[in-house]
Amino acid sequence: VAPDGVYFTFLDMRGNNITIKGIAESNNRISALMRQFDESEWFDGPNLTAVKALGDGRGSSFDLTVLQVTPKREDES
């Protein structure tokens, strides 16, 4: 779930690589999104590739990539 104040404008998945572009009300919201990806069992290696302040003071646009992974089952080691 994306944090409040974070909106995705583009999403592309090629294999297990996901590219996301969006707009956030603040850089703190982008940081919260990155932490959520980092703490998830379903995603790995979030990488913020660009952050740009919007000229109208409405926040920032961002680009990031993340790898989709399948968590191990409890009976797997």
Side-chain angles (χ1 to χ4, degrees):
V1 175
D4 289 339
V6 175
Y7 308 93
F8 296 159
T9 59
F10 175 84
L11 183 86
D12 183 50
M13 184 171 184
R14 295 181 189 239
N16 290 350
N17 296 307
I18 302 171
T19 301
I20 301 170
K21 296 182 181 193
I23 297 174
E25 292 176 353
S26 70
N27 288 346
N28 289 338
R29 308 248 184 203
I30 298 170
S31 295
L33 175 64
M34 298 296 289
R35 281 191 300 276
Q36 285 183 329
F37 277 126
D38 200 37
E39 294 170 359
S40 173
E41 295 179 330
W42 291 94
F43 300 100
D44 191 33
N47 183 28
L48 190 61
T49 56
V51 177
K52 297 176 189 167
L54 298 175
D56 55 10
R58 293 187 320 188
S60 299
S61 65
F62 65 89
D63 298 353
L64 68 87
T65 60
V66 66
L67 183 64
Q68 188 275 317
V69 295
T70 302
K72 291 184 179 181
R73 295 185 334 202
E74 289 182 20
D75 60 347
E76 292 179 325
S77 46

